[in-house]
Amino acid sequence: MARPTPQEWDDVLAMLTEVQRTLGASVDSGVVEDHDQHVLGLPSGVSGATPGGARIEAALYAVLCARHLVEQAVHGRELRGVPVLERTQKYLAIAGGYVATAWTTEQDQRVNRRPQ
């Protein structure tokens, strides 16, 4: 397999940017998708916005990380303020927290539904 061309990398970045926009629009809408759930304490809700679903917010942070990492690896871009690798570590931890919180909440709901 050949090394990706600069155009292929630009296409990847454009795709990640579009995915980021779609996920962000879902969060901004405040609508929780059918197979997702709102979990209290998500940063969007803490910041005063109507939170989206835990899975969508986790995916948003993961895609942000992927886009920043690819941009830095391919183009050597650094973000102002917090360095890419530090920001990525934080965002991946947030995404993992969303997933863990959603899983724990769903497990608790399953246990509480069982007949006693």
Side-chain angles (χ1 to χ4, degrees):
M1 194 157 202
R3 178 181 181 183
T5 66
Q7 181 58 51
E8 289 172 320
W9 283 121
D10 288 343
D11 292 344
V12 166
L13 290 169
M15 179 186 62
L16 289 170
T17 300
E18 186 58 33
V19 170
Q20 181 182 328
R21 277 192 207 111
T22 301
L23 293 169
S26 176
V27 171
D28 290 344
S29 76
V31 175
V32 177
E33 300 302 323
D34 294 342
H35 302 284
D36 203 353
Q37 65 176 317
H38 167 71
V39 176
L40 293 176
L42 296 178
S44 63
V46 173
S47 68
T50 304
R55 288 171 177 80
I56 296 297
E57 290 210 31
L60 176 60
Y61 277 97
V63 168
L64 277 166
C65 291
R67 188 175 60 81
H68 290 321
L69 289 169
V70 170
E71 282 180 330
Q72 189 174 50
V74 174
H75 299 297
R77 291 189 186 128
E78 187 58 77
L79 301 171
R80 284 192 244 169
V82 180
V84 167
L85 293 177
E86 185 178 340
R87 189 177 305 205
T88 298
Q89 185 177 25
K90 174 186 165 189
Y91 284 174
L92 287 174
I94 291 170
Y98 288 156
V99 171
T101 302
W103 183 84
T104 301
T105 301
E106 290 172 10
Q107 289 299 315
D108 185 55
Q109 290 170 348
R110 285 186 193 109
V111 168
N112 288 334
R113 287 184 191 146
R114 291 183 185 155
Q116 297 295 330

